[in-house]
């Protein structure tokens, strides 16, 4: 798939995991389950459709625009998953350029400053520290750091970062207060939910899974998982 699309293996993995392309054998086990590798292949037609969708959103250019760079490089520089960047492009939230003589993934470019405006709130925005944010939503500070690096279904962050200079060399990343309040109204941590029901986080997690109610995708400890209030 990397060779076919002209992309890095990390992009190919993101395409498979995010479901941007269709599996060639959908009736067989998913890619994260055990089974012959042949069953995990993606159809060429769906890969063509995926590239075509990206190209439809792209502005053709003859030369690389000032400051623009390939999506993978921008992903590393801005510390935002390439899969989330692709979602932003497909949802028309992030401008993308296509080198006119290229018809592969590697010919797509973005300006990292455009991505920065999505990930960061204005320095003048009301903000709180990660510790304060953690107390507000009832989780550990590490969970807040994870949320800052987690995207919604459209690729944008649940919580935007607010850079606060501490001195000439140090910048502290705080949390946009408006985003935090919006998130708190729409989500609840498994720990708080379990406390309100006089249950344990693990027991409640099993019950919710049995009801096909799943947390937002974020790699954090069980009690810090978040659920959409509208689904409970």
């Amino acid at each position: 798939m990397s060779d076919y699309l002209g992309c890095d293996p990390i992009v190919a993995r993101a395409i498979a995991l995010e479901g941007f392309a269709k599996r060639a054998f959908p009736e067989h086990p998913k890619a994260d389950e055990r089974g012959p590798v042949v069953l995990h292949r993606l159809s060429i037609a769906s890969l063509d459709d995926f590239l075509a969708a990206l190209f439809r959103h792209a502005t053709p250019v003859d030369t690389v625009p000032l400051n623009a760079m390939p999506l993978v490089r921008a992903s590393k520089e801005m510390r935002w998953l390439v899969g989330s960047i692709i979602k932003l492009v497909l949802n028309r939230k992030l401008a993308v350029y296509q080198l006119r003589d290229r018809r592969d993934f590697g010919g797509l470019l973005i300006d990292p400053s455009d991505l920065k405006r999505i990930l960061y709130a204005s320095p003048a925005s009301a903000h709180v520290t990660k510790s304060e944010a953690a107390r507000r939503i009832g989780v550990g500070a590490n969970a807040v750091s994870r949320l800052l690096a987690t995207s919604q279904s459209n690729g944008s962050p649940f919580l935007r970062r607010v850079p606060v200079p501490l001195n000439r060399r140090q910048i502290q990343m705080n949390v946009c207060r408006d985003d935090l309040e919006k998130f708190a109204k729409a989500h609840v941590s498994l720990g708080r939910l379990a406390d309100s029901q006089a249950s344990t986080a693990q027991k409640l997690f099993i019950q919710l899974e049995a009801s096909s109610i799943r947390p937002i995708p974020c790699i954090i400890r069980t009690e810090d998982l978040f659920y959409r209030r509208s689904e409970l």
Side-chain angles (χ1 to χ4, degrees), residues 83-144:
S84 297
I85 293 178
I86 292 172
K87 290 178 183 177
L88 286 169
V89 170
L90 293 176
N91 282 282
R92 297 186 181 278
K93 291 184 174 294
L94 180 64
V96 63
Y97 304 95
Q98 175 205 346
L99 292 175
R100 203 180 298 273
D101 61 344
R102 297 279 296 275
R103 294 296 297 176
D104 61 301
F105 188 90
L108 296 169
L109 312 163
I110 66 168
D111 186 334
S113 63
D114 291 337
L115 179 56
K116 186 175 182 178
R117 282 190 284 271
I118 295 173
L119 303 181
Y120 290 78
S122 166
S125 303
H127 54 85
V128 296
T129 65
K130 291 180 184 179
S131 296
E132 291 169 334
R135 287 193 292 271
R136 171 68 179 88
I137 55 180
V139 295
N142 287 338
V144 174

Side-chain angles (χ1 to χ4, degrees), residues 27-87:
E27 69 277 11
H28 289 288
K30 295 181 180 179
D32 58 352
E33 298 174 355
R34 294 183 180 276
V37 174
V38 67
L39 303 184
H40 301 164
R41 293 181 178 176
L42 302 180
S43 72
I44 290 178
S46 69
L47 292 176
D48 289 340
D49 290 342
F50 167 70
L51 270 183
L54 288 175
F55 290 150
R56 282 197 300 271
H57 292 71
T59 300
V61 293
D62 294 314
T63 59
V64 177
L66 183 65
N67 299 324
M69 60 181 64
L71 274 63
V72 173
R73 183 180 164 193
S75 170
K76 294 177 180 177
E77 184 168 303
M78 298 302 298
R79 297 183 180 180
W80 200 240
L81 293 178
V82 68
S84 297
I85 293 178
I86 292 172
K87 290 178 183 177

Side-chain angles (χ1 to χ4, degrees), residues 143 146-150 158 215-221 224-226:
R146 288 287 188 178
L147 282 174
L148 287 169
T150 299
F158 281 104
I216 64 173
C218 188
I219 306 175
I220 47 182
R221 59 184 185 174
D224 288 346
L225 291 172
F226 282 95

